[in-house]
Amino acid sequence: MTQAPAPPKVAAGRHDREILALAVPAFGALVAEPLFVLADSAIVGHLGTPQLAGLGVAAALLTTAVSVFVFLAYATTAAVARRVGAGDLQAAIRQGMDGIWLALILGAAVIAVFLATAPGLVSLFGASDTATPYAVTYLRISALGIPAMLVVLAATGVLRGLQDTRTPLYVAIGGFAANAALNLGLVYGAGLGIAGSAWGTVIAQCAMAAAYLVVVVRGARRHGASLRPDAAGIRACAQAGAPLLVRTLSLRAILMIATMVAARLGDAEIAAHQILLSLWSLLAFALDAIAIAGQAIIGRYLGADDAVGAKAVCRRMVRWGVVSGLVLGLLVIVTRPLFVPLFTSDPSVEAALLPALLVMALSQPVSGIVFVLDGVLMGAGDGPYLAGAMLVTLAVFAPFALLVPVIGGGLTTLWWAMTLMMLVRMATLQLRARSGRWLVTGATR
Protein backbone atom coordinates (compact mmCIF):
# COMPACT_ATOMS: atom_id res chain seq x y z
CA MET A 1 0.00 0.00 0.00
CA THR A 2 1.59 3.29 -1.14
CA GLN A 3 1.63 6.26 1.19
CA ALA A 4 -0.52 9.22 0.18
CA PRO A 5 1.47 12.33 -0.75
CA ALA A 6 1.61 15.02 1.91
CA PRO A 7 -0.69 18.05 1.50
CA PRO A 8 1.05 20.96 -0.31
CA LYS A 9 1.39 23.11 2.84
CA VAL A 10 2.83 20.22 4.85
CA ALA A 11 5.27 19.35 2.05
CA ALA A 12 6.30 22.99 1.70
CA GLY A 13 6.94 23.25 5.43
CA ARG A 14 9.05 20.10 5.36
CA HIS A 15 11.07 21.41 2.42
CA ASP A 16 11.57 24.75 4.20
CA ARG A 17 12.92 23.00 7.29
CA GLU A 18 15.29 20.93 5.14
CA ILE A 19 16.54 24.00 3.30
CA LEU A 20 17.04 26.05 6.47
CA ALA A 21 18.75 23.22 8.33
CA LEU A 22 21.41 23.04 5.62
CA ALA A 23 21.54 26.65 4.38
CA VAL A 24 22.00 28.50 7.68
CA PRO A 25 25.15 26.65 8.82
CA ALA A 26 26.45 26.74 5.22
CA PHE A 27 26.10 30.52 5.21
CA GLY A 28 28.12 30.76 8.42
CA ALA A 29 30.90 28.61 6.97
CA LEU A 30 30.96 30.64 3.75
CA VAL A 31 31.28 33.91 5.67
CA ALA A 32 34.08 32.48 7.84
CA GLU A 33 36.27 31.61 4.82
CA PRO A 34 37.14 35.16 3.64
CA LEU A 35 37.91 36.12 7.24
CA PHE A 36 41.22 34.28 6.85
CA VAL A 37 42.47 36.87 4.36
CA LEU A 38 40.97 39.73 6.40
CA ALA A 39 42.78 38.56 9.54
CA ASP A 40 46.05 38.21 7.65
CA SER A 41 45.61 41.68 6.14
CA ALA A 42 44.88 43.29 9.50
CA ILE A 43 47.94 41.72 11.13
CA VAL A 44 50.38 42.15 8.22
CA GLY A 45 49.15 45.70 7.58
CA HIS A 46 50.93 46.89 10.72
CA LEU A 47 54.27 45.63 9.38
CA GLY A 48 54.22 48.21 6.58
CA THR A 49 52.73 49.06 3.20
CA PRO A 50 55.14 46.91 1.11
CA GLN A 51 54.32 43.87 3.24
CA LEU A 52 50.58 44.47 2.88
CA ALA A 53 50.93 45.00 -0.87
CA GLY A 54 52.90 41.75 -1.14
CA LEU A 55 50.22 39.92 0.83
CA GLY A 56 47.54 41.34 -1.47
CA VAL A 57 49.23 40.00 -4.62
CA ALA A 58 50.02 36.58 -3.10
CA ALA A 59 46.52 36.21 -1.61
CA ALA A 60 44.94 37.04 -4.99
CA LEU A 61 47.02 34.30 -6.65
CA LEU A 62 46.22 31.75 -3.94
CA THR A 63 42.50 32.58 -3.93
CA THR A 64 42.34 32.25 -7.71
CA ALA A 65 44.17 28.91 -7.67
CA VAL A 66 41.96 27.42 -4.96
CA SER A 67 38.68 28.78 -6.42
CA VAL A 68 39.45 27.05 -9.73
CA PHE A 69 39.20 23.72 -7.90
CA VAL A 70 35.92 24.46 -6.12
CA PHE A 71 34.45 21.64 -8.22
CA LEU A 72 36.02 19.32 -5.62
CA ALA A 73 33.27 20.44 -3.24
CA TYR A 74 30.44 20.70 -5.78
CA ALA A 75 30.94 17.40 -7.61
CA THR A 76 31.60 15.48 -4.39
CA THR A 77 28.44 16.87 -2.77
CA ALA A 78 26.26 15.69 -5.65
CA ALA A 79 27.82 12.23 -5.93
CA VAL A 80 27.77 11.54 -2.18
CA ALA A 81 24.20 12.84 -1.78
CA ARG A 82 22.94 10.48 -4.50
CA ARG A 83 24.36 7.48 -2.69
CA VAL A 84 22.93 8.71 0.59
CA GLY A 85 19.52 8.92 -1.06
CA ALA A 86 19.97 5.37 -2.36
CA GLY A 87 20.70 4.23 1.21
CA ASP A 88 24.28 3.14 0.50
CA LEU A 89 26.38 5.04 3.05
CA GLN A 90 29.41 2.83 2.44
CA ALA A 91 29.50 3.78 -1.24
CA ALA A 92 28.78 7.43 -0.33
CA ILE A 93 31.86 7.67 1.88
CA ARG A 94 33.95 5.67 -0.62
CA GLN A 95 32.97 8.25 -3.24
CA GLY A 96 34.01 11.01 -0.84
CA MET A 97 37.41 9.39 -0.28
CA ASP A 98 38.00 9.36 -4.05
CA GLY A 99 37.38 13.11 -4.06
CA ILE A 100 39.83 13.61 -1.18
CA TRP A 101 42.55 11.59 -2.95
CA LEU A 102 41.98 13.68 -6.09
CA ALA A 103 42.37 16.83 -3.97
CA LEU A 104 45.75 15.60 -2.68
CA ILE A 105 46.98 14.82 -6.19
CA LEU A 106 45.92 18.21 -7.54
CA GLY A 107 47.36 19.95 -4.48
CA ALA A 108 50.76 18.37 -5.03
CA ALA A 109 50.74 19.53 -8.66
CA VAL A 110 49.81 23.11 -7.69
CA ILE A 111 52.61 23.22 -5.08
CA ALA A 112 55.14 22.27 -7.75
CA VAL A 113 53.89 25.02 -10.07
CA PHE A 114 53.84 27.74 -7.41
CA LEU A 115 57.25 26.92 -5.96
CA ALA A 116 58.84 26.97 -9.41
CA THR A 117 57.06 30.02 -10.83
CA ALA A 118 56.37 32.25 -7.79
CA PRO A 119 58.60 35.18 -8.90
CA GLY A 120 57.15 35.12 -12.42
CA LEU A 121 53.55 34.97 -11.19
CA VAL A 122 54.13 37.88 -8.81
CA SER A 123 55.73 39.91 -11.61
CA LEU A 124 52.79 39.10 -13.90
CA PHE A 125 50.45 40.67 -11.34
CA GLY A 126 52.52 43.87 -11.52
CA ALA A 127 53.82 43.94 -7.95
CA SER A 128 56.21 46.80 -7.19
CA ASP A 129 59.92 46.21 -6.54
CA THR A 130 59.45 46.77 -2.82
CA ALA A 131 56.41 44.46 -2.53
CA THR A 132 57.74 41.63 -4.73
CA PRO A 133 60.05 39.95 -2.15
CA TYR A 134 57.25 39.83 0.42
CA ALA A 135 54.78 38.48 -2.14
CA VAL A 136 57.17 35.73 -3.24
CA THR A 137 57.92 34.75 0.36
CA TYR A 138 54.23 34.58 1.31
CA LEU A 139 53.28 32.73 -1.88
CA ARG A 140 55.98 30.05 -1.61
CA ILE A 141 55.22 29.29 2.04
CA SER A 142 51.44 29.44 1.66
CA ALA A 143 51.59 27.14 -1.37
CA LEU A 144 52.56 24.35 1.02
CA GLY A 145 49.05 24.59 2.47
CA ILE A 146 47.25 24.21 -0.88
CA PRO A 147 46.79 20.42 -0.60
CA ALA A 148 45.15 21.02 2.79
CA MET A 149 42.92 23.72 1.28
CA LEU A 150 41.81 21.35 -1.49
CA VAL A 151 41.23 18.52 1.00
CA VAL A 152 39.02 20.94 2.95
CA LEU A 153 37.01 21.58 -0.24
CA ALA A 154 36.57 17.88 -1.00
CA ALA A 155 35.81 16.92 2.61
CA THR A 156 33.30 19.76 2.86
CA GLY A 157 31.61 18.26 -0.19
CA VAL A 158 31.53 14.85 1.53
CA LEU A 159 29.82 16.24 4.62
CA ARG A 160 27.38 18.35 2.61
CA GLY A 161 26.47 15.23 0.65
CA LEU A 162 25.89 13.47 3.96
CA GLN A 163 23.46 16.35 4.77
CA ASP A 164 25.85 17.80 7.38
CA THR A 165 26.64 21.51 7.07
CA ARG A 166 27.15 22.07 10.81
CA THR A 167 30.55 20.36 11.02
CA PRO A 168 32.01 22.57 8.24
CA LEU A 169 30.74 25.60 10.18
CA TYR A 170 32.47 24.48 13.38
CA VAL A 171 35.70 23.67 11.52
CA ALA A 172 35.64 27.03 9.74
CA ILE A 173 35.17 28.93 13.02
CA GLY A 174 37.93 26.94 14.70
CA GLY A 175 40.22 27.45 11.70
CA PHE A 176 39.66 31.21 11.72
CA ALA A 177 40.40 31.46 15.45
CA ALA A 178 43.55 29.34 15.09
CA ASN A 179 44.70 31.32 12.08
CA ALA A 180 44.34 34.66 13.90
CA ALA A 181 46.16 33.40 17.02
CA LEU A 182 48.98 31.78 15.05
CA ASN A 183 49.44 34.86 12.88
CA LEU A 184 49.75 37.14 15.90
CA GLY A 185 52.14 34.79 17.65
CA LEU A 186 54.38 34.09 14.66
CA VAL A 187 54.37 37.58 13.09
CA TYR A 188 55.00 39.58 16.28
CA GLY A 189 55.78 37.11 19.06
CA ALA A 190 58.33 35.12 17.05
CA GLY A 191 59.30 38.10 14.90
CA LEU A 192 58.91 36.20 11.62
CA GLY A 193 57.14 39.03 9.81
CA ILE A 194 55.14 38.14 6.68
CA ALA A 195 56.64 34.63 6.68
CA GLY A 196 55.02 34.11 10.08
CA SER A 197 51.65 35.06 8.64
CA ALA A 198 52.08 32.53 5.84
CA TRP A 199 53.16 29.75 8.23
CA GLY A 200 50.24 30.54 10.53
CA THR A 201 47.79 30.14 7.66
CA VAL A 202 49.43 26.90 6.50
CA ILE A 203 49.23 25.40 10.00
CA ALA A 204 45.58 26.47 10.40
CA GLN A 205 44.64 25.01 7.00
CA CYS A 206 46.41 21.73 7.81
CA ALA A 207 44.58 21.56 11.15
CA MET A 208 41.25 22.09 9.38
CA ALA A 209 42.06 19.35 6.87
CA ALA A 210 43.04 17.02 9.73
CA ALA A 211 39.76 17.72 11.53
CA TYR A 212 37.78 16.87 8.41
CA LEU A 213 39.80 13.71 7.80
CA VAL A 214 39.12 12.51 11.36
CA VAL A 215 35.37 12.88 10.75
CA VAL A 216 35.46 11.19 7.33
CA VAL A 217 37.75 8.35 8.46
CA ARG A 218 35.48 7.63 11.43
CA GLY A 219 32.53 7.45 9.06
CA ALA A 220 34.46 5.17 6.71
CA ARG A 221 35.34 2.75 9.53
CA ARG A 222 31.80 2.81 10.87
CA HIS A 223 30.36 1.79 7.48
CA GLY A 224 33.21 -0.42 6.28
CA ALA A 225 34.35 1.86 3.46
CA SER A 226 37.88 1.50 2.13
CA LEU A 227 40.33 4.38 2.66
CA ARG A 228 42.77 3.29 -0.03
CA PRO A 229 43.11 5.28 -3.27
CA ASP A 230 41.11 3.77 -6.14
CA ALA A 231 42.34 4.78 -9.60
CA ALA A 232 38.96 4.24 -11.28
CA GLY A 233 37.14 6.21 -8.59
CA ILE A 234 39.62 9.08 -8.68
CA ARG A 235 39.37 9.18 -12.48
CA ALA A 236 35.55 9.26 -12.24
CA CYS A 237 35.75 12.19 -9.81
CA ALA A 238 38.02 14.07 -12.19
CA GLN A 239 35.66 13.41 -15.11
CA ALA A 240 32.65 14.62 -13.10
CA GLY A 241 34.56 17.74 -12.04
CA ALA A 242 35.91 18.68 -15.48
CA PRO A 243 32.68 20.36 -16.72
CA LEU A 244 32.40 22.30 -13.45
CA LEU A 245 35.99 23.44 -13.93
CA VAL A 246 34.98 24.84 -17.34
CA ARG A 247 32.02 26.56 -15.69
CA THR A 248 34.21 28.11 -13.00
CA LEU A 249 36.88 29.29 -15.46
CA SER A 250 34.18 30.88 -17.65
CA LEU A 251 32.78 32.74 -14.65
CA ARG A 252 36.27 33.91 -13.66
CA ALA A 253 36.78 35.14 -17.22
CA ILE A 254 33.57 37.17 -17.00
CA LEU A 255 34.69 38.84 -13.78
CA MET A 256 38.15 39.53 -15.20
CA ILE A 257 36.69 41.12 -18.34
CA ALA A 258 34.44 43.31 -16.19
CA THR A 259 37.42 44.46 -14.12
CA MET A 260 39.50 45.17 -17.23
CA VAL A 261 36.70 47.28 -18.71
CA ALA A 262 36.23 49.16 -15.43
CA ALA A 263 39.97 49.92 -15.36
CA ARG A 264 39.70 51.49 -18.82
CA LEU A 265 36.90 53.77 -17.63
CA GLY A 266 39.14 55.60 -15.12
CA ASP A 267 40.49 55.49 -11.58
CA ALA A 268 37.20 56.46 -9.93
CA GLU A 269 35.32 53.83 -11.93
CA ILE A 270 37.70 50.97 -11.12
CA ALA A 271 37.66 51.95 -7.44
CA ALA A 272 33.85 51.97 -7.43
CA HIS A 273 33.79 48.69 -9.36
CA GLN A 274 35.94 46.99 -6.72
CA ILE A 275 33.52 48.16 -4.03
CA LEU A 276 30.60 46.80 -6.04
CA LEU A 277 32.32 43.46 -6.59
CA SER A 278 33.01 43.18 -2.86
CA LEU A 279 29.34 43.82 -2.06
CA TRP A 280 28.21 41.50 -4.85
CA SER A 281 30.40 38.73 -3.41
CA LEU A 282 29.07 39.33 0.10
CA LEU A 283 25.46 39.06 -1.09
CA ALA A 284 26.43 35.95 -3.04
CA PHE A 285 27.30 34.18 0.23
CA ALA A 286 23.68 34.35 1.36
CA LEU A 287 22.37 33.13 -1.99
CA ASP A 288 25.07 30.48 -2.33
CA ALA A 289 24.03 29.01 1.02
CA ILE A 290 20.64 28.14 -0.52
CA ALA A 291 22.45 26.71 -3.56
CA ILE A 292 24.54 24.47 -1.29
CA ALA A 293 21.36 23.21 0.36
CA GLY A 294 20.04 22.57 -3.15
CA GLN A 295 23.07 20.48 -4.11
CA ALA A 296 22.70 18.24 -1.06
CA ILE A 297 18.91 17.89 -1.05
CA ILE A 298 18.43 17.38 -4.79
CA GLY A 299 21.18 14.77 -4.94
CA ARG A 300 19.55 12.87 -2.07
CA TYR A 301 16.08 12.94 -3.65
CA LEU A 302 17.36 11.76 -7.02
CA GLY A 303 19.42 9.02 -5.38
CA ALA A 304 16.23 7.85 -3.66
CA ASP A 305 14.47 7.67 -7.09
CA ASP A 306 12.12 10.49 -6.05
CA ALA A 307 11.96 12.73 -9.11
CA VAL A 308 8.63 14.21 -7.97
CA GLY A 309 10.13 15.25 -4.64
CA ALA A 310 13.20 16.69 -6.36
CA LYS A 311 11.03 18.80 -8.65
CA ALA A 312 8.91 20.01 -5.72
CA VAL A 313 11.91 21.03 -3.60
CA CYS A 314 13.42 22.76 -6.65
CA ARG A 315 10.31 24.93 -7.00
CA ARG A 316 10.42 25.72 -3.29
CA MET A 317 14.08 26.72 -3.43
CA VAL A 318 13.47 29.01 -6.40
CA ARG A 319 10.91 30.86 -4.29
CA TRP A 320 13.48 31.11 -1.51
CA GLY A 321 15.95 32.51 -4.03
CA VAL A 322 13.55 35.15 -5.31
CA VAL A 323 12.50 36.27 -1.82
CA SER A 324 16.09 36.33 -0.59
CA GLY A 325 17.14 38.36 -3.62
CA LEU A 326 14.33 40.88 -3.08
CA VAL A 327 15.24 41.27 0.60
CA LEU A 328 18.95 41.69 -0.13
CA GLY A 329 18.29 44.18 -2.93
CA LEU A 330 16.03 46.30 -0.74
CA LEU A 331 18.56 46.11 2.09
CA VAL A 332 21.29 47.48 -0.19
CA ILE A 333 19.07 50.36 -1.37
CA VAL A 334 17.87 51.31 2.11
CA THR A 335 21.25 51.10 3.85
CA ARG A 336 23.45 52.61 1.13
CA PRO A 337 23.79 55.98 2.95
CA LEU A 338 25.24 54.04 5.91
CA PHE A 339 27.77 51.75 4.24
CA VAL A 340 28.97 53.77 1.22
CA PRO A 341 30.97 56.22 3.44
CA LEU A 342 32.73 53.21 4.97
CA PHE A 343 34.24 52.41 1.58
CA THR A 344 35.03 55.84 0.19
CA SER A 345 34.87 59.56 0.89
CA ASP A 346 35.92 60.52 -2.66
CA PRO A 347 33.04 62.37 -4.39
CA SER A 348 34.08 61.09 -7.83
CA VAL A 349 34.04 57.48 -6.63
CA GLU A 350 30.64 57.99 -4.98
CA ALA A 351 29.28 59.54 -8.19
CA ALA A 352 30.32 56.47 -10.16
CA LEU A 353 29.24 54.04 -7.46
CA LEU A 354 25.70 55.07 -6.54
CA PRO A 355 23.81 54.60 -9.86
CA ALA A 356 25.66 51.32 -10.54
CA LEU A 357 24.83 50.20 -7.00
CA LEU A 358 21.12 50.60 -7.71
CA VAL A 359 21.49 48.45 -10.83
CA MET A 360 23.24 45.77 -8.80
CA ALA A 361 20.54 45.91 -6.11
CA LEU A 362 17.74 45.58 -8.68
CA SER A 363 19.37 42.47 -10.14
CA GLN A 364 19.42 40.54 -6.84
CA PRO A 365 16.14 38.63 -7.40
CA VAL A 366 17.60 37.41 -10.71
CA SER A 367 20.77 36.41 -8.86
CA GLY A 368 18.64 34.50 -6.37
CA ILE A 369 17.10 32.38 -9.13
CA VAL A 370 20.49 31.83 -10.78
CA PHE A 371 22.24 30.67 -7.62
CA VAL A 372 19.44 28.31 -6.67
CA LEU A 373 19.09 26.68 -10.10
CA ASP A 374 22.87 26.44 -10.38
CA GLY A 375 22.87 24.49 -7.11
CA VAL A 376 19.95 22.31 -8.19
CA LEU A 377 21.63 21.28 -11.43
CA MET A 378 24.94 20.69 -9.65
CA GLY A 379 23.11 18.46 -7.19
CA ALA A 380 21.66 16.58 -10.15
CA GLY A 381 25.16 16.07 -11.57
CA ASP A 382 24.27 18.11 -14.66
CA GLY A 383 27.79 19.51 -15.04
CA PRO A 384 28.08 19.30 -18.85
CA TYR A 385 25.00 21.47 -19.29
CA LEU A 386 26.25 24.00 -16.73
CA ALA A 387 29.58 24.22 -18.57
CA GLY A 388 27.86 24.82 -21.91
CA ALA A 389 25.46 27.36 -20.45
CA MET A 390 28.32 29.35 -18.88
CA LEU A 391 30.25 29.37 -22.15
CA VAL A 392 27.15 30.76 -23.88
CA THR A 393 26.88 33.39 -21.15
CA LEU A 394 30.54 34.36 -21.62
CA ALA A 395 30.03 34.63 -25.38
CA VAL A 396 27.07 36.99 -24.89
CA PHE A 397 28.63 39.06 -22.10
CA ALA A 398 32.10 39.65 -23.54
CA PRO A 399 31.16 41.76 -26.60
CA PHE A 400 28.63 43.84 -24.65
CA ALA A 401 31.11 44.53 -21.87
CA LEU A 402 33.95 45.38 -24.26
CA LEU A 403 31.67 47.86 -26.04
CA VAL A 404 30.93 49.78 -22.81
CA PRO A 405 33.77 52.33 -23.30
CA VAL A 406 32.46 52.95 -26.83
CA ILE A 407 28.76 53.11 -25.93
CA GLY A 408 29.33 55.40 -22.95
CA GLY A 409 27.44 55.47 -19.68
CA GLY A 410 30.46 54.50 -17.61
CA LEU A 411 30.26 52.06 -14.74
CA THR A 412 26.46 52.01 -14.72
CA THR A 413 26.43 50.65 -18.27
CA LEU A 414 29.00 48.02 -17.29
CA TRP A 415 26.75 46.85 -14.47
CA TRP A 416 23.81 46.71 -16.84
CA ALA A 417 26.04 44.34 -18.85
CA MET A 418 26.61 42.36 -15.64
CA THR A 419 22.84 42.22 -15.17
CA LEU A 420 22.49 40.98 -18.76
CA MET A 421 24.99 38.27 -17.92
CA MET A 422 22.84 37.15 -14.98
CA LEU A 423 19.69 37.27 -17.13
CA VAL A 424 21.33 35.01 -19.72
CA ARG A 425 22.36 32.61 -16.96
CA MET A 426 18.82 32.65 -15.58
CA ALA A 427 17.32 31.93 -19.01
CA THR A 428 19.64 28.99 -19.72
CA LEU A 429 19.12 27.51 -16.26
CA GLN A 430 15.34 27.91 -16.36
CA LEU A 431 15.19 26.21 -19.75
CA ARG A 432 16.99 23.22 -18.32
CA ALA A 433 14.97 23.15 -15.10
CA ARG A 434 11.66 23.22 -17.01
CA SER A 435 12.77 20.54 -19.47
CA GLY A 436 13.08 17.96 -16.70
CA ARG A 437 16.12 16.39 -18.40
CA TRP A 438 18.12 16.89 -15.22
CA LEU A 439 15.80 14.57 -13.30
CA VAL A 440 18.00 11.49 -13.68
CA THR A 441 17.40 9.18 -10.73
CA GLY A 442 19.55 6.46 -9.19
CA ALA A 443 22.68 6.12 -7.07
CA THR A 444 24.82 7.22 -10.03
CA ARG A 445 24.00 9.50 -12.92
Side-chain angles (χ1 to χ4, degrees):
M1 182 177 178
T2 58
Q3 188 176 0
K9 286 187 178 180
V10 174
R14 185 177 70 246
H15 294 326
D16 288 346
R17 287 190 294 274
E18 284 183 314
I19 295 165
L20 279 173
L22 291 172
V24 173
F27 175 69
L30 288 169
V31 170
E33 289 172 11
L35 293 178
F36 271 78
V37 176
L38 285 176
D40 289 1
S41 299
I43 293 166
V44 171
H46 292 286
L47 293 174
T49 300
Q51 288 90 334
L52 184 58
L55 171 66
V57 171
L61 285 163
L62 288 164
T63 302
T64 299
V66 173
S67 67
V68 164
F69 297 109
V70 73
F71 70 84
L72 288 166
Y74 295 160
T76 304
T77 298
V80 171
R82 274 185 176 270
R83 286 161 176 78
V84 169
D88 192 348
L89 289 177
Q90 183 185 68
I93 296 174
R94 174 65 258 181
Q95 179 76 36
M97 285 305 306
D98 292 336
I100 289 171
W101 280 112
L102 177 61
L104 287 169
I105 293 168
L106 292 173
V110 176
I111 282 182
V113 171
F114 271 19
L115 290 180
T117 63
L121 290 171
V122 168
S123 177
L124 187 64
F125 262 61
S128 67
D129 291 339
T130 54
T132 292
Y134 298 111
V136 172
T137 296
Y138 190 92
L139 184 59
R140 279 183 165 157
I141 296 172
S142 293
L144 300 176
I146 285 178
M149 295 182 202
L150 299 190
V151 166
V152 166
L153 284 177
T156 300
V158 176
L159 295 180
R160 289 173 180 171
L162 293 170
Q163 316 297 296
D164 176 10
T165 55
R166 290 183 180 274
T167 300
L169 172 61
Y170 301 147
V171 174
I173 293 171
F176 168 70
N179 179 64
L182 285 164
N183 269 256
L184 283 169
L186 294 174
V187 171
Y188 297 111
L192 296 179
I194 196 168
S197 176
W199 280 118
T201 301
V202 169
I203 294 169
Q205 292 286 358
C206 289
M208 290 173 67
Y212 275 118
L213 288 175
V214 167
V215 174
V216 174
V217 168
R218 282 178 180 170
R221 288 175 174 168
R222 188 182 309 121
H223 297 287
S226 173
L227 298 173
R228 294 179 180 178
D230 176 65
I234 294 170
R235 189 163 52 249
C237 285
Q239 289 171 347
L244 296 179
L245 176 61
V246 173
R247 168 202 168 275
T248 300
L249 290 174
S250 300
L251 180 57
R252 298 295 298 184
I254 287 169
L255 298 178
M256 286 178 65
I257 290 170
T259 300
M260 288 168 55
V261 171
R264 293 182 186 178
L265 296 175
D267 290 347
E269 283 75 10
I270 184 62
H273 180 70
Q274 289 304 117
I275 295 170
L276 283 166
L277 273 183
S278 298
L279 290 169
W280 192 69
S281 299
L282 180 63
L283 297 177
F285 286 136
L287 300 174
D288 204 27
I290 305 173
I292 287 169
Q295 293 170 31
I297 295 170
I298 292 295
R300 192 186 80 234
Y301 271 86
L302 293 177
D305 294 321
D306 188 356
V308 174
K311 201 167 184 179
V313 78
C314 173
R315 286 195 299 267
R316 194 66 186 173
M317 279 188 287
V318 168
R319 291 180 185 176
W320 272 84
V322 173
V323 172
S324 298
L326 283 169
V327 171
L328 291 172
L330 286 171
L331 193 61
V332 168
I333 292 171
V334 171
T335 61
R336 71 186 188 279
L338 300 176
F339 68 77
V340 168
L342 299 176
F343 288 98
T344 182
S345 58
D346 187 330
S348 62
V349 175
E350 286 191 16
L353 174 65
L354 290 174
L357 183 64
L358 291 175
V359 174
M360 189 264 282
L362 290 172
S363 70
Q364 287 308 297
V366 174
S367 297
I369 296 172
V370 168
F371 274 81
V372 166
L373 291 180
D374 208 38
V376 165
L377 296 183
M378 282 184 193
D382 207 10
Y385 182 85
L386 289 171
M390 191 60 80
L391 286 171
V392 169
T393 303
L394 174 60
V396 173
F397 171 78
F400 276 92
L402 294 173
L403 281 172
V404 167
V406 178
I407 297 170
L411 191 65
T412 303
T413 303
L414 176 60
W415 275 85
W416 278 119
M418 291 285 285
T419 301
L420 171 66
M421 178 268 292
M422 295 302 288
L423 286 168
V424 173
R425 288 187 70 188
M426 182 178 72
T428 57
L429 294 172
Q430 283 186 322
L431 281 172
R432 187 65 167 181
R434 289 173 180 172
S435 74
R437 293 178 183 174
W438 57 279
L439 290 164
V440 180
T441 58
T444 58
R445 185 178 170 88

